[in-house]
């Protein structure tokens, strides 16, 4: 019975272990940047943006091996088992978030969220049977996120998180468990920058782009099955850049701004541009 939850093809096993290993390595980045900031201080107004972009760019590299996972038939029980397992792991890591261990445990919990979000995003992309199905999904996602931000639970969650990190007394709000945290220059520890749902959609759009032959990599060719190859360290999908733009807008405005609508708009525009270019190319030939 339990074997069905752990049986994977040899290729997928290697890619999953590689993805997990890269995420584990990423968890060392925020503490390292904390030490850099402690030593040098804030030496430039662009320092915060550089730190956030660096952590996000390195996080994006964890997507590359996951994009190359081979399709395997899985039951809902398989996905539910691993989703609950990773959720429990994040919860357990957060239980040791005390004293000097807080920065390390927050980094490890964020790496676990990135790993779980990457797998969920890749799995969801396999249910897209036609590229146009992304359009209604994006529209629903934008309307739901905007309404939740304006009058729904997201507004309340944002107030709770802001109040806690301004005066961290007592246990953090429950929503803190699903927030990915980066190091921000001047902060005493890691601070939440986006939710795991934002990351899931970044990975989802990257996986859909690869599935339908759309090169969304702003730094060159997309990842190929011959991994590792020259794509390592040179992968920046359009959705990730949109997420970074959303983070910077929130930073400059000093208020919470939902990133999902911006990600959806940018990705839809890039898909449309790709289709137009492909049609023009076929017309010329």
């Amino acid at each position: 019975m339990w074997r069905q939850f752990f049986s994977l093809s040899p290729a997928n096993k290697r890619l999953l272990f590689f993805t997990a290993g890269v995420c584990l390595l990423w968890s060392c980045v925020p503490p390292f940047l904390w030490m850099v900031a402690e030593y040098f201080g804030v030496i430039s107004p662009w320092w915060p943006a550089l730190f956030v972009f660096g952590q996000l760019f390195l996080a994006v590299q964890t997507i590359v091996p996951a994009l190359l996972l081979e399709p395997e038939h899985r039951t809902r029980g398989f996905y539910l088992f691993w989703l609950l397992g990773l959720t429990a792991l994040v919860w357990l890591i957060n239980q040791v978030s005390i004293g000097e261990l807080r920065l390390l445990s927050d980094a490890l919990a964020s790496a676990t969220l990135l790993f779980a979000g990457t797998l969920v995003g890749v799995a969801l992309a396999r249910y897209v049977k036609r590229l146009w199905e992304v359009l209604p999904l994006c529209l629903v996602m934008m309307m739901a996120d905007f309404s939740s931000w304006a009058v729904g639970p997201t507004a309340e969650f944002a107030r709770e998180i802001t109040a806690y990190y301004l005066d961290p007394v007592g246990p953090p709000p429950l929503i803190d468990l699903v927030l990915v945290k980066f190091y921000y220059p001047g902060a005493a520890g890691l601070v939440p920058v986006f939710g795991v749902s934002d990351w899931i959609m970044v990975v989802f759009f990257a996986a859909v782009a690869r599935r339908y032959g759309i090169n969304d990599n702003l730094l060159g060719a997309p990842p190929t099955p011959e991994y590792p190859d020259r794509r390592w360290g040179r992968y920046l999908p359009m959705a990730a850049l949109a997420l970074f733009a959303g983070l910077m807008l929130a930073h400059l405005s000093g208020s919470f701004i939902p990133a999902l609508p911006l990600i959806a708009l940018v990705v839809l525009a890039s898909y449309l541009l790709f289709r137009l270019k492909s049609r023009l190319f076929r017309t010329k030939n």
Side-chain angles (χ1 to χ4, degrees):
M1 175 182 176
W2 292 101
R3 189 173 182 179
Q4 62 176 317
F5 299 125
F6 299 95
S7 60
L8 295 166
S9 68
N12 280 351
K13 278 185 181 179
R14 288 193 297 269
L15 289 169
L16 278 176
F17 278 119
F18 193 39
T19 303
V22 174
C23 288
L24 186 62
L25 285 176
W26 180 91
S27 69
C28 301
V29 174
F32 173 75
L33 291 178
W34 174 80
M35 291 188 292
V36 170
E38 285 290 305
Y39 184 80
F40 291 103
V42 181
I43 61 177
S44 167
W46 296 100
W47 206 233
L50 182 62
F51 270 50
V52 171
F53 180 79
Q55 290 167 94
L56 180 61
F57 178 74
L58 292 175
V60 165
Q61 307 315 308
T62 66
I63 300 175
V64 179
L67 292 178
L68 305 177
L69 289 169
E70 299 171 351
E72 291 189 66
H73 177 70
R74 295 298 176 188
T75 63
R76 292 180 181 176
F78 175 87
Y79 292 116
L80 183 60
F81 172 82
W82 283 105
L83 182 62
L84 291 175
L86 290 170
T87 302
L89 180 60
V90 172
W91 181 82
L92 286 172
I93 293 171
N94 278 276
Q95 300 315 297
V96 297
S97 298
I98 54 175
E100 296 179 355
L101 294 176
R102 179 64 185 267
L103 187 128
L104 296 176
S105 62
D106 280 353
L108 187 57
S110 294
T112 306
L113 285 175
L114 292 174
F115 178 68
T118 297
L119 298 185
V120 171
V122 169
L124 289 176
R126 290 175 180 167
Y127 292 95
V128 178
K129 303 302 180 183
R130 298 176 181 84
L131 186 60
W132 65 264
E133 294 175 354
V134 174
L135 178 59
L137 173 66
C138 288
L139 293 176
V140 171
M141 183 176 65
M142 286 188 290
M143 289 188 293
D145 209 38
F146 265 127
S147 60
S148 179
W149 171 61
V151 295
T154 300
E156 181 60 30
F157 291 153
R159 284 192 290 268
E160 290 179 2
I161 287 295
T162 301
Y164 175 78
Y165 278 90
L166 288 176
D167 185 21
V169 177
L174 189 60
I175 190 66
D176 191 63
L177 288 174
V178 294
L179 298 179
V180 178
K181 302 175 183 69
F182 286 179
Y183 177 69
Y184 194 86
L190 304 192
V191 296
V193 288
F194 56 82
V196 68
S197 59
D198 299 319
W199 185 252
I200 288 173
M201 296 316 297
V202 167
V203 179
F204 169 80
F205 286 126
V208 169
R210 184 178 185 276
R211 182 174 183 177
Y212 289 96
I214 299 173
N215 181 16
D216 66 339
N217 184 15
L218 298 171
L219 301 182
T224 61
E226 292 76 25
Y227 189 86
D229 65 358
R230 295 180 181 179
R231 302 284 75 74
W232 174 251
R234 290 176 53 194
Y235 183 60
L236 182 62
M238 187 69 71
L241 186 64
L243 175 58
F244 176 71
L247 297 178
M248 290 300 98
L249 284 174
H251 171 69
L252 293 174
S253 65
S255 60
F256 173 77
I257 296 177
L260 283 180
L262 180 60
I263 294 172
L265 284 173
V266 170
V267 168
L268 284 177
S270 66
Y271 285 0
L272 179 61
L273 182 61
F274 177 84
R275 285 301 185 188
L276 290 175
K277 288 174 62 178
S278 299
R279 184 167 295 182
L280 287 173
F281 180 79
R282 288 196 299 267
T283 303
K284 290 180 179 179
N285 291 281

